[in-house]
Amino acid sequence: MTMSEVKVIVRRNRPGTKGAEFCKWPEEPFEEMDSTLAVQQWIQQTIRRDPSNITAILTPPETQDEEVWKYEHLRQFCMELNGLAVKLQSECFPETCNQMTATEQWIFLCAAHKSPKECPAIDYTRHTLDGAACLLNSNKYFPSRVSIRESSLGKLGSVCRRVYRIFSHAYFHHKTLFDDFEASSHLCRRFTSFVMKYNLMSRDNLIVPNMEDGATDAPPAVTETASTPTTTTTTTKVTPVTGNTTESEA
Amino acid sequence: MRYPGNEEGGTAGSAGGTGNGPGGNKEDSKPRYSIPGILHFIQHEWARFEMERASWELERAELQARIAFLQGERKGQENLKNDLVRRIKMLEYALKQERAKYHKLKFGTDPSNELGKPPDLEPEPPELQTAAGSDEPISSQVSWRQGRQLLRQYLQEIGYTDTIIDVRSNRVRSLLGLEAPEQQAQQENGGSNSENKRPVAEQPRRVPKKSLAEAMMMEAESAVMANFDFLSGGMDVDDDDDMADDLDDVDDDIKQSKRKSRGIADEVDAETEEVLNEFSFLGAEEASAADKTDEWSYSGARADDVSLGELAQLTVNNDADMNMDVTLDKEAFRKTWMAKYTLRSHFDSVRALAFHPVEPVLITASEDHTLKMWNLQKTVSAKKNASLDVEPLYTFRQHSGPVMCLVMSSSGEHVYSASLDGTINAWKVPDCNIDPYDSYDPSILVRTMNDHTDAVHGLSLHSQKSHLLSCSADGTVRLWDPTSKSPLIDTFSSPNDGIPTAVDFVRDEPSHMAVAYNSQVVIYDLESKKQIVRFECDSIGAVNRVVCHPTLSLTVTAHDDRHIRFWDNSTGKMLHAMVAHLDAVTSLALDPHGLYLLSGSHDCSVRVWNVESKQCLQEMTAHRKKFDEAIHDVAFHPSKPFIASAGADGLAKVYV
Ligand SMILES: [Zn+2]
Ligand SMILES: [Zn+2]
């Protein structure tokens, strides 16, 4: 639209760009980002600078609308969780993980189906990410990326709860894989800080240990199944399925 | 609503608890405008208005066409009326003269001589015979005044005027009836009418190549349509000489149409002649002869100004009535692509897309590391906008970096994608009615080829063989046979030229490939690995995309310097260069017949070009910018009237 703008720096990945040079352009100050995708640009730019600097990544620019900020972060999380899903595809098989579990107390039902289903962990992972992609891109709930409808805000929390189970499954059942992924992405730590900062999940549900900001650099503890803060006496409890994605799409 | 109470509370708490921000609740957040927000709102509104305006214009065009049709009909009726009035006057005159003769001679000639004629000439209307019979006694007894009176009466009584009108208009209609379906189809082809998809689908196929002008003659009308298409096309960006040639072509076609319509005019004349003959029994021999010639020229003129007059201007239709709307609404004849489907589900820029060869299915590849398959028949809901949302049917996950490019096999069975991390994946295309939440099938991923050591930016698939070309930032172009055990067939590199940026098989000589380097384009022989021709180009902008024409020895390149250039593969000479966009041209696509070219640019727009004339037929503003990128890819459906664009805003759009 504004073709008159004179730019010295053109932030573009031309064909032929080496992988290492991808998006390696000078950072753009937030005030100068005139795109409707400014928040996404900003978040990605900060992550590229240093993915381990969670405080910086989660600190919004001064004038930023908080709902959009949360929404764009959640998009980014779901996008990066794809990396974990790809890793899980090579290790998490229906034969070994025929249910979505973290600790033994819970079996999570997959909300992507018309009636919630006990999907194997890998399907749960894929379905949840697919469902989240549809929901977060839904023209009905999130028609704009610069203002979020009040009525759609509740969706953010439910997406957070569901995708968190992917972290927890990986942590409790595919520890090496999880550590590997976490070491390069710092994603679970960032996610934990994010949901705590914005109260998107209750603390009780954050079952992957040592992910809170206070315990940043402590090596991840060994699997502590006993430390889960569930109060149930039954060994298996099915979580109430919260907001069926398919349904909410309709 | 379905959340457990405590969590609901948590969410609510978050909304309230974060009130220390610039605004914690919605009352506060209302007046908090941000520049991007306002811009977005304006853009959004603008897009909406544009969309509404487009649909209103469509409606207006339709109504205008209707008005024109009705006006044309009215005009036709008036002409007919004038015609008949004139005839009546002439007959009256003839009768008058006859009566005068009678009076002079005081002796009657035998009228049966003349009356005998009409029945064998024209057995059709029975009224004629009875009327003729009743005319017999009259003729011998009354004055011309009475005769005139009687004639009028006679015409009124038997309603012959109406009969003539009916017969004629039916005749005209049946004549048109022969033409009508075709014209209808063409109108929809050319027009912005999107209801009827079939004819539109056929348009690119039906329009013959301009270079084969003879073939075109066969389908003069559809060719005229095609020509017309670009003649009325929007932007006139370049000033090339080819335009003149095209105009010549059009002229030829006009002549064709004229000839055709002349045929109809002749038939119409025959018709008037019949009518004349019907009347001729009333008049004297010589008067009738005189009338006849008179009428002939008259009716010829009539046909001319009703049909040919319009045709001469418009060249499209043969019929007066149908012509009118063309006059009023030239633009309606242009095929106008309209954004119909929005494909939203990617979290980041869509880098590439490819259509299924036959199904209304496409696959997109994104910087969010995934590919998604979409079936355009599975839309979510038609919202207030004309645009429909489609939800993806399948998400391909395996790449661990942004997916940069993809191609689909001509059988529609496989899709190949390549990523920034240098891997190329071969995938099976899932069934296009797959349940999006089916269980994970690892066999969808057929194989991974990771010989490239750096980002792969371009792929090209051989039209017949299952050979694949890839170009990478590691400086190599590789040829693969993804079906073979060891898929890598060959590796090409040209250290002097540096990193290849784009690659394509030369379609009319499939053992050749065209490789673009920073600002060089070279055609190699794949077997001998020898350079065949190097395009002669000094100081051209970096090449972002290379596409080879499906049948001609022609290569089209998209450049960073906003140009699209056309090259002759055999000589390496540049045939044409044009500033095609306001910013870097990123992507090109040729339709399967090589008649139309699509280009996408970081100026946010997609343009449709006529390959022959190099005319821009349409421009569509399609995507929003992310950093300085806007559109990464464009595509034609190989067999259906769909085009698509892939945007840095994470959306893909499909136009019909
Ligand atoms: Zn598992
Ligand atoms: Zn499921």
Side-chain angles (χ1 to χ4, degrees), chain A residues 88 91-93 96-97 99 121-122 169-170 173-174:
Chain A
L88 284 172
E91 193 181 306
C92 176
F93 303 112
T96 51
C97 307
Q99 292 169 324
I122 190 61
H169 176 78
H173 296 269
H174 310 277

Side-chain angles (χ1 to χ4, degrees), chain B residues 352-425:
Chain B
L353 43 79
F355 276 106
H356 190 279
V358 286
E359 300 295 334
V361 166
L362 75 161
I363 296 180
T364 51
S366 164
E367 285 184 27
D368 69 8
H369 306 190
T370 66
L371 284 77
K372 286 176 193 275
M373 183 174 86
W374 315 75
N375 186 338
L376 300 177
Q377 286 169 334
K378 309 214 161 170
T379 54
V380 175
S381 60
K383 297 278 298 237
K384 54 184 184 276
N385 294 346
S387 173
L388 296 172
D389 274 14
V390 188
E391 276 190 8
L393 280 184
Y394 188 80
T395 303
F396 302 75
R397 292 191 170 85
Q398 185 58 47
H399 286 294
S400 55
V403 190
M404 304 306 288
C405 44
L406 91 160
V407 286
M408 199 181 301
S409 69
S410 50
S411 63
E413 286 167 13
H414 292 100
V415 66
Y416 304 94
S417 61
S419 143
L420 194 72
D421 62 14
T423 57
I424 300 172
N425 280 342

Side-chain angles (χ1 to χ4, degrees), chain A residues 66 112 114 185:
Chain A
E66 190 177 284
K114 286 248 156 44
S185 67

Side-chain angles (χ1 to χ4, degrees), chain B residues 86-111:
Chain B
R86 202 176 140 166
R87 260 173 236 215
I88 289 165
K89 283 189 176 151
M90 281 187 294
L91 287 166
E92 281 172 357
Y93 177 73
L95 201 61
K96 199 163 136 189
Q97 288 207 321
E98 196 77 356
R99 298 286 178 240
K101 236 192 225 170
Y102 272 37
H103 275 274
K104 216 187 218 170
L105 298 173
K106 299 273 180 195
F107 193 74
T109 47
D110 190 3

Side-chain angles (χ1 to χ4, degrees), chain B residues 216-217 220 223-224 227-228 230-231 243-259 311-313 315:
Chain B
M216 199 179 196
M217 293 304 176
V224 170
N227 281 321
F228 200 69
F230 62 71
L231 277 180
M243 190 54 201
D245 300 344
D246 264 301
L247 280 169
D248 290 345
D249 276 358
V250 175
D251 284 343
D252 286 350
D253 301 331
I254 290 170
K255 277 170 213 148
Q256 276 283 316
S257 306
K258 271 185 183 166
R259 232 168 290 141
L311 272 171
Q313 292 167 35
T315 81

Side-chain angles (χ1 to χ4, degrees), chain B residues 168-185:
Chain B
R168 285 190 51 131
S169 62
N170 282 340
R171 184 99 174 91
V172 168
R173 232 163 249 162
S174 71
L175 277 173
L176 295 171
L178 294 173
E179 307 288 324
E182 208 179 320
Q183 282 169 356
Q184 203 59 33

